[in-house]
């Protein structure tokens, strides 16, 4: 068809040239124009070189819903955008695939044949040609004139048909280009903005692109990354071989997933989960797409959970071990008490047997009491209920007394291979400090008991020193015993922890002593630690502040201590309903030269004081729990009538409330049972 036009006459030759130029320009416009509207405008301009384009439109056909869209519409009258195609002239062109030139008479003919119905404003002449791309009709181009039927000729129709083909191709290409562009932008945006830190690398691991999340996570700017080797920027040195292997495997086609560690620009490391996927983008080019997720927090939570789980399991294990232990620790002395109490009742006992059995019972009772004390002590210490009572304390005196007590203990054990040493000459001057002497003694007792328990041969040495820089006293208890393995040196200060927690362990104990000692040292203002060599021996150290009294006060107290208070000739009334307790008190007091009176309840106590008219009784030791009239009532009465008689309460309820209650009732002092002889004598001396 085009040949017939292009080969006509001379005028045709000029036309032919113009047409060719237009065809070429339209073809180039696909590349030269920026978008579809721009292309359309160029088409219009080019076409205007060949024919009248006053009323020009381009309609793209959509077979799926039989509609046209009008990406270009330049018409003086009609304005369509998206319209149904139905039986319009435009659709007729699409359907037939041929260009037509229609004047009103031709139109009527078509209407009669029911090929078209009237749409739009009547035109004098209408011309349309199909737009074709790759054997597919994608729409049509239409031109019309509302005024002059000669605006277009058959030649124009042929030219339009020829140009329309080029226009079809151009539009199709532009459309595809735009679709591709949209798709590209879409994926680019997706890549840039996904919250996962993503990086694209080319062989051999050079970064070609990174997204926002990646730069944010690692703290680099994109320009600091592009073109560089990723492995050299974010991989900690020790993991470089691993990273190289990941890169190599990925470029060989393997997808890799793992959890590892990477470092930020500032050198800080973070735990990441890493997914690396290879993409073959052309037969000889593979890229590597890696996603990094920061899992540091997740890992931290995981670790905490594991520790919590281990702790819970450990606590459970310790609880069981503790109960087993406790059962053993209670049963052993209980067995002895029950057994020897029974033996005591047999008639053919020698006095030596008796003394021996009584001693065993007493010792077993002592250890039971110690156990209960320990448990209560620890519970109170852990709940912050233990209050430190500072008193002037002569440290040498305390150490001497401990030396005597423990020497006796060792000789009772009849262990000739163990020697107890107290190096009293380390500090040659008197050391009197302000501390809680009961608690200090308790710590030393715990450490000495342990040292003796865990040492079979050699020696246990203890003493103290002054550390001037810390202004502290440093106490030590050294032994040549079994020692402590390095991994246990910390934990033995935790409650219920023992080096050997097994049922078959050789040494008795509950694992409370060191926990109590640690709490106590800290309460006293110091710290405790151990140095030890397994199978060679241990040295426990603890400090307490070297707190001295102001000079005058200390001199006064020293004088007081030195002054031998004599209790002989004193009249002391013991109000106590329990016979054994009474015997015990009576024995202690008698040994101190006291005349003892006894009342079995509050009523009797009042009676006795009255009977002596308050003059002869120097002091009352008042049990609180007594029948008929209790200790509070009796005390209140006595203090009211005879305020000068000191009353010391003694009760089995060792609590702060109890103490306050006693003091409120009028008592001058308060002692908790079981009474320590020293405490008792001290209090009596103070009151008298
Ligand atoms: P217990 O002695 O009742 O078991 P402790 O809390 O006093 O409890 O001590 C805890 C553990 O520390 C002991 O079971 C023992 O394993 C270890 N230990 C304490 N003192 C010594 C020591 N002098 N030599 C060796 N091991 C010791």
């Amino acid at each position: 068809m085009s040949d017939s036009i292009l080969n006509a006459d001379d005028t045709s030759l000029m036309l032919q040239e113009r047409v060719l130029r237009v065809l070429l320009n339209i073809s180039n416009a696909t590349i030269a124009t920026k978008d579809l509207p721009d292309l359309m405008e160029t088409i219009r301009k080019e076409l205007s070189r060949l024919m009248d384009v006053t009323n020009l439109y381009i309609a793209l056909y959509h077979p799926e819903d039989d509609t046209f869209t009008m990406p270009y519409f330049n018409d003086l009258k009609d304005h369509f955008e998206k319209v149904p195609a139905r039986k319009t002239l435009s659709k007729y062109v699409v359907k037939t695939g041929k260009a037509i030139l229609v004047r009103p008479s031709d139109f009527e003919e078509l209407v009669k044949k029911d090929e078209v119905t009237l749409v739009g404003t009547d035109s004098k002449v209408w011309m349309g040609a199909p737009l074709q791309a790759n054997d597919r009709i994608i729409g049509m181009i239409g031109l019309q004139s509302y005024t002059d039927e000669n605006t277009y000729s058959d030649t124009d129709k042929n030219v339009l048909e020829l140009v329309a083909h080029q226009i079809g191709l151009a539009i199709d290409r532009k459309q595809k280009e735009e679709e591709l562009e949209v798709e590209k932008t879409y994926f680019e945006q997706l890549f840039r903005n996904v919250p996962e830190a993503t990086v694209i690398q080319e062989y051999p691991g050079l970064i070609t692109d990174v997204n926002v999340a990646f730069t944010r996570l690692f703290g680099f700017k994109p320009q600091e990354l592009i073109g560089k080797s990723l492995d050299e920027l974010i991989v900690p040195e020790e993991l470089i071989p691993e990273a190289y292997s990941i890169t190599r495997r990925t470029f060989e086609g393997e997808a890799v997933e793992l959890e590892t560690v990477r470092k930020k620009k500032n050198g800080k490391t973070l735990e990441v989960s890493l997914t690396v996927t290879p993409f073959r983008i052309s037969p000889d080019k593979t890229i590597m797409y890696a996603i990094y997720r920061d899992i540091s927090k997740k890992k931290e939570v995981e670790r905490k959970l594991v520790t919590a789980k281990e702790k819970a399991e450990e606590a459970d294990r310790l609880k069981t071990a503790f109960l087993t232990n406790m059962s053993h620790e209670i049963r052993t002395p209980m067995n002895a008490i029950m057994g020897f109490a029974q033996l005591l009742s047999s008639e053919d006992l020698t006095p030596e047997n008796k003394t021996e059995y009584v001693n065993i019972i007493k010792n077993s009772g002592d250890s039971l009491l110690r156990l209960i004390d320990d448990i209560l002590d620890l519970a109170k210490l852990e709940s912050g209920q233990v209050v430190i009572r500072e008193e002037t304390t002569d440290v040498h005196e305390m150490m001497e007394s401990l030396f005597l007590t423990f020497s006796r203990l060792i000789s009772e054990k009849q262990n000739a291979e163990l020697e107890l040493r107290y190096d009293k000459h380390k500090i040659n001057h008197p050391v009197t400090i302000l501390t809680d002497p009961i608690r200090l003694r308790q710590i030393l007792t715990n450490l000495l008991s342990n040292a003796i328990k865990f040492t079979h041969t050699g020696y246990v040495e203890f003493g103290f020193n002054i550390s001037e820089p810390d202004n502290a006293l440093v106490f030590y208890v050294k032994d040549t015993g079994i020692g402590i393995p390095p991994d246990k040196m910390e934990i033995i200060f935790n409650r219920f922890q023992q080096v050997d927690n097994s049922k078959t362990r050789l040494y008795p104990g509950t694992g409370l002593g060191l926990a109590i000692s640690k709490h106590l040292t800290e309460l006293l203002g110091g710290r405790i630690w151990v140095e030890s060599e397994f199978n060679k021996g241990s040295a426990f150290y603890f400090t307490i502040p070297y707190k001295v009294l102001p000079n005058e006060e200390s001199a006064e107290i020293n004088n007081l201590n030195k002054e031998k208070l004599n209790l002989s000739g004193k009249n002391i009334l013991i109000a106590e309903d329990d016979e054994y307790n009474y015997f015990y008190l009576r024995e202690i007091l008698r040994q101190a030269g006291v005349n003892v009176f006894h009342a079995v309840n509050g009523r009797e106590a009042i009676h006795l004081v009255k009977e002596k008219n308050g003059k002869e009784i120097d002091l009352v030791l008042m049990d609180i729990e007594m029948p008929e009239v209790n200790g509070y009532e009796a005390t209140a009465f006595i203090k009211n009538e005879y305020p000068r008689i000191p009353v010391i309460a003694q009760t089995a309820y060792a609590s702060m409330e109890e103490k306050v209650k006693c003091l409120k009732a009028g008592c001058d002092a308060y002692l908790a049972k079981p009474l320590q002889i020293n405490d008792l004598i001290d209090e009596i001396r103070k009151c008298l």
Side-chain angles (χ1 to χ4, degrees):
M1 81 193 155
S2 49
D3 285 353
S4 62
I5 310 162
L6 297 174
N7 296 330
D9 47 30
D10 280 352
T11 35
S12 302
L13 268 177
M14 284 176 61
L15 178 63
Q16 187 183 348
E17 226 170 72
R18 272 191 288 145
V19 169
L20 279 176
R21 163 80 45 85
V22 168
L23 285 176
L24 188 69
N25 286 353
I26 291 177
S27 166
N28 285 343
T30 330
I31 302 159
T33 53
K34 67 175 189 299
D35 53 16
L36 205 53
D38 196 15
L39 173 70
M40 297 288 178
E41 195 49 48
T42 312
I43 290 171
R44 192 193 66 81
K45 246 192 240 158
E46 290 300 326
L47 212 52
S48 72
R49 297 178 199 267
L50 303 173
M51 57 191 73
D52 182 331
V53 292
T54 317
N55 298 309
L56 163 87
Y57 70 92
I58 288 170
L60 299 179
Y61 182 62
H62 307 284
E64 63 282 1
D65 58 353
D66 192 34
T67 54
F68 282 118
T69 46
M70 311 282 186
Y72 188 81
F73 205 103
N74 184 28
D75 195 303
L76 294 177
K77 293 197 177 170
D78 289 334
H79 282 281
F80 301 104
E81 276 200 339
K82 180 162 184 163
V83 289
R86 289 193 295 226
K87 287 192 168 174
T88 54
L89 269 173
S90 308
K91 169 74 177 293
Y92 183 72
V93 172
V94 168
K95 201 170 80 182
T96 57
K98 286 202 176 108
I100 49 166
L101 183 72
V102 183
R103 297 209 169 76
S105 55
D106 308 316
F107 185 73
E108 267 159 36
E109 201 62 21
L110 285 171
V111 172
K112 242 185 241 164
K113 282 196 213 152
D114 197 24
E115 292 289 359
V116 296
T117 48
L118 185 77
V119 179
T121 317
D122 285 346
S123 54
K124 288 278 190 287
V125 60
W126 187 96
M127 186 164 69
L131 301 178
Q132 214 166 338
N134 306 324
D135 297 336
R136 195 168 54 89
I137 293 175
I138 59 164
M140 54 79 65
I141 179 165
L143 291 154
Q144 55 192 325
S145 167
Y146 298 105
T147 50
D148 181 2
E149 67 171 322
N150 294 319
T151 309
Y152 303 116
S153 64
D154 274 339
T155 311
D156 291 327
K157 184 193 80 177
N158 290 341
V159 169
L160 182 66
E161 186 163 34
L162 189 65
V163 177
H165 189 72
Q166 191 60 47
I167 294 175
L169 284 174
I171 290 176
D172 187 56
R173 203 175 307 147
K174 198 78 194 166
Q175 258 181 334
K176 287 208 173 108
E177 219 174 65
E178 283 197 351
E179 274 164 23
L180 213 68
E181 190 59 32
V182 168
E183 213 164 282
K184 195 173 149 226
T185 315
Y186 174 78
F187 281 110
E188 175 124 1
Q189 286 300 316
L190 204 69
F191 169 73
R192 292 266 159 262
N193 299 311
V194 278
E196 314 283 19
T198 313
V199 56
I200 297 174
Q201 286 157 272
E202 267 179 19
Y203 190 79
L206 303 180
I207 304 169
T208 52
D209 209 347
V210 289
N211 72 353
V212 178
F214 187 90
T215 51
R216 222 175 261 156
L217 181 62
F218 288 98
F220 287 99
K221 295 197 181 88
Q223 62 268 30
E224 294 170 320
L225 296 163
I226 310 289
K228 308 269 169 57
S229 156
L230 182 69
D231 291 345
E232 279 164 25
L233 288 175
I234 65 164
V235 180
E237 212 170 306
E238 64 280 11
L239 291 176
I240 284 184
E242 178 198 81
Y244 282 169
S245 139
I246 297 171
T247 310
R248 184 181 44 74
R249 282 159 58 198
T250 317
F251 281 118
E252 282 168 9
E254 189 185 340
V256 182
E257 260 191 71
L258 81 160
E259 290 185 353
T260 182
V261 175
R262 290 291 179 261
K263 66 170 197 260
K264 299 185 182 205
K265 187 183 172 186
N266 63 12
K268 247 175 115 177
T269 55
L270 69 161
E271 285 168 283
V272 292
S273 97
L274 173 58
T275 313
V276 200
T277 322
F279 278 113
R280 188 168 286 260
I281 52 171
S282 68
D284 55 355
K285 188 168 182 185
T286 299
I287 61 160
M288 178 171 148
Y289 188 86
I291 298 175
Y292 291 83
R293 274 183 216 109
D294 182 359
I295 53 166
S296 307
K297 277 197 190 122
K298 187 182 122 206
K299 284 277 161 191
E300 185 60 34
V301 171
E302 265 175 31
R303 272 192 291 271
K304 278 191 181 149
L305 275 177
V306 171
T307 322
K309 182 172 158 272
E310 279 168 1
K311 264 196 182 155
E313 283 167 359
E314 172 77 352
D316 196 47
R317 201 179 54 70
L318 283 178
K319 194 184 74 194
T320 315
F322 170 69
L323 288 178
T324 320
N325 240 350
M326 211 49 105
S327 160
H328 175 262
E329 292 303 305
I330 292 172
R331 267 165 208 283
T332 315
M334 265 323 240
N335 262 347
I337 293 173
M338 310 273 284
F340 285 101
Q342 221 166 14
L343 285 182
L344 266 184
S345 58
S346 63
E347 279 164 13
D348 48 354
L349 278 185
T350 62
E352 292 82 47
N353 282 152
K354 242 187 208 168
T355 321
E356 190 187 349
Y357 295 174
V358 167
N359 273 340
I360 293 174
I361 293 176
K362 189 185 152 293
N363 288 341
S364 305
D366 278 351
S367 41
L368 267 182
L369 205 59
R370 254 199 317 279
L371 178 67
I372 292 166
D373 276 349
D374 275 358
I375 295 172
L376 289 181
D377 251 1
L378 188 67
K380 279 200 218 152
L381 279 164
E382 287 189 344
S383 58
Q385 285 181 38
V386 173
V387 185
I388 290 300
R389 280 179 214 133
E390 290 191 333
E391 282 172 28
T392 334
T393 308
D394 181 335
V395 181
H396 279 302
E397 190 180 290
M398 181 181 292
M399 301 300 263
E400 294 275 5
S401 140
L402 283 166
F403 181 67
L404 281 180
T405 311
F406 281 92
S407 299
R408 206 178 306 136
L409 198 90
I410 291 176
S411 71
E412 274 168 16
K413 273 178 132 189
Q414 295 184 331
N415 184 353
E417 289 179 48
L418 181 62
E419 183 196 346
L420 182 69
R421 299 179 187 167
Y422 164 48
D423 184 1
K424 60 177 160 192
H425 299 298
K426 240 186 188 124
I427 306 290
N428 269 326
H429 55 85
V431 179
T432 306
I433 58 162
L434 252 190
T435 190
D436 187 327
I438 295 179
R439 298 312 189 177
L440 175 59
R441 194 183 175 94
Q442 194 177 350
I443 303 167
L444 284 161
T445 305
N446 279 343
L447 298 184
L448 282 164
S449 309
N450 276 347
I452 292 168
K453 178 162 77 178
F454 294 108
T455 310
H456 305 284
T457 53
Y459 62 87
V460 168
E461 184 191 316
F462 70 110
F464 72 99
N465 226 322
I466 296 171
S467 161
E468 301 237 346
D470 305 328
N471 196 28
L473 294 188
V474 187
F475 292 84
Y476 67 89
V477 178
K478 281 184 197 160
D479 63 55
T480 53
I482 61 171
I484 300 160
D487 62 320
K488 302 280 182 181
M489 286 210 248
E490 287 265 323
I491 62 156
I492 50 166
F493 292 99
N494 297 342
R495 63 191 151 131
F496 311 141
Q497 290 276 18
Q498 297 170 307
V499 169
D500 181 3
N501 264 337
S502 70
K503 278 201 180 123
T504 52
R505 72 205 156 89
L506 292 171
Y507 303 94
T510 52
L512 295 174
L514 287 180
I516 293 175
S517 304
K518 181 168 191 285
H519 271 290
L520 287 176
T521 358
E522 284 164 9
L523 262 184
L524 292 180
R527 61 190 187 91
I528 187 166
W529 70 97
V530 64
E531 287 166 10
S532 181
E533 208 173 323
F534 194 43
N535 284 332
K536 288 235 164 98
S538 315
F540 283 82
Y541 297 89
F542 69 95
T543 61
I544 59 167
Y546 187 15
K547 223 198 262 184
V548 280
L549 278 181
N551 282 344
E552 281 172 32
E553 210 175 323
S554 84
E556 204 171 293
I557 288 173
N558 276 343
N559 287 341
L560 248 178
N561 278 348
K562 276 176 209 149
E563 193 181 303
K564 277 262 171 206
L565 271 168
N566 196 353
L567 289 185
S568 68
K570 296 286 177 198
N571 297 326
I572 293 183
L573 168 62
I574 302 173
E576 171 65 74
D577 61 332
D578 185 282
E579 205 176 346
Y580 294 113
N581 279 347
Y582 167 66
F583 285 160
Y584 174 67
L585 287 171
R586 189 189 62 188
E587 282 317 298
I588 298 172
L589 294 182
R590 274 192 183 159
Q591 282 171 26
V594 172
N595 301 321
V596 176
F597 299 87
H598 183 203
V600 292
N601 56 42
R603 196 175 42 73
E604 246 187 65
I606 294 171
H607 178 73
L608 260 166
V609 173
K610 266 188 181 166
E611 194 182 62
K612 307 268 170 208
N613 210 7
K615 276 186 195 134
E616 287 173 41
I617 299 293
D618 294 304
L619 183 140
V620 182
L621 272 179
M622 182 73 80
D623 180 29
I624 294 297
E625 284 287 297
M626 283 186 301
E628 294 183 42
V629 174
N630 68 26
Y632 305 124
E633 292 162 332
T635 305
F637 178 87
I638 294 170
K639 288 303 278 191
N640 196 29
E641 296 285 313
Y642 311 102
R644 68 148 201 95
I645 304 182
V647 178
I648 299 177
Q650 32 135 350
T651 157
Y653 302 113
S655 74
M656 205 56 205
E657 295 90 67
E658 185 66 18
K659 183 174 179 180
V660 171
K661 237 166 140 183
C662 292
L663 297 180
K664 260 194 184 157
C667 295
D668 297 82
Y670 159 97
L671 286 171
K673 285 178 187 172
L675 302 182
Q676 302 292 326
I677 298 180
N678 281 344
D679 293 348
L680 179 68
I681 300 290
D682 274 358
E683 278 310 331
I684 293 176
R685 279 176 175 167
K686 270 189 216 157
C687 286
L688 290 177

